[in-house]
Amino acid sequence: MRKAMIFAAGLGTRLKPLTDSMPKAMVPVAGKHLIDHVMERLTSAGIEDITVNVHHFPQQIISHLDSCYGLVREPGAGVHVSDESELLLDTGGGVLAARRFLEGEEPFLVHNVDILSNLDFSRFAASARDESLATLVVSERKTSRYLLFDEGLRLVGWTNTKTGEIRSPWGDINPDNYRKLAFSGIHLMSGDIFSSLEEFALKVGAKFSIIDFYLDQAKKHPIHGYVPDDFKMMDVGKFDLLSDAEAFARELLF
């Protein structure tokens, strides 16, 4: 695994008022911008080809990446920017828009910029099955929205336990018959996923969620979950969690 994409284009509305003047990726946690926490973990895992999508205050991220890592404009090893300044494309559309940097024979990692974790990227990549269109890092973390997996950890659907909503390409399924796991915002995609992404975009438009795409594809292509041992993670997406994020990040660093 040599390639990765960082989702950094979001508006960061849950981090207001900080994101009234900066993008979420540039929010400081434990003495570093969020994007640097992710960049450093990726590069330390040997990932040398990283694409970052931008939309909200894009120039702040572009200038930071260029001054700290050096931007490369063409596909190949280095740091790239996929510019969504004109239209925020959501997670699925964002991957498709970055196709020229990511497509290839090898799988690539996708990582939300506001996720801190102790995930062993190399072990994760080694665990992925060759036939999987994507492999999603999931855990028993408590939430209201869960992905549903069968006994073989193949994705079969999604549920919101607060509203009772259930979505599955297999129709009306009972969530109680499946394993409910929370998505971490970290996943590994097959390098040849783009024909399926393009086909989906033709149906729904350029802007779409990657989870919507996975649920649409789950019956056609195997999509699997991966539950890491001793997994620790934190979503730093809310302003009132920043103090907790400081302590969590320092724990991971030291």
Side-chain angles (χ1 to χ4, degrees), residues 112 135-139 141 143 145-147 181-187 210-211 214 233:
N112 288 3
T135 306
L136 321 183
V137 178
V138 290
S139 69
R141 179 171 53 92
T143 182
R145 293 172 292 179
Y146 293 97
L147 293 173
L181 295 167
F183 181 41
S184 69
I186 307 171
H187 31 151
I210 197 65
I211 294 298
Y214 286 154
M233 68 151 283

Side-chain angles (χ1 to χ4, degrees), residues 175-192:
D176 293 337
N177 294 334
Y178 299 96
R179 191 170 177 184
K180 300 182 183 73
L181 295 167
F183 181 41
S184 69
I186 307 171
H187 31 151
L188 190 72
M189 294 187 185
S190 167
D192 60 5

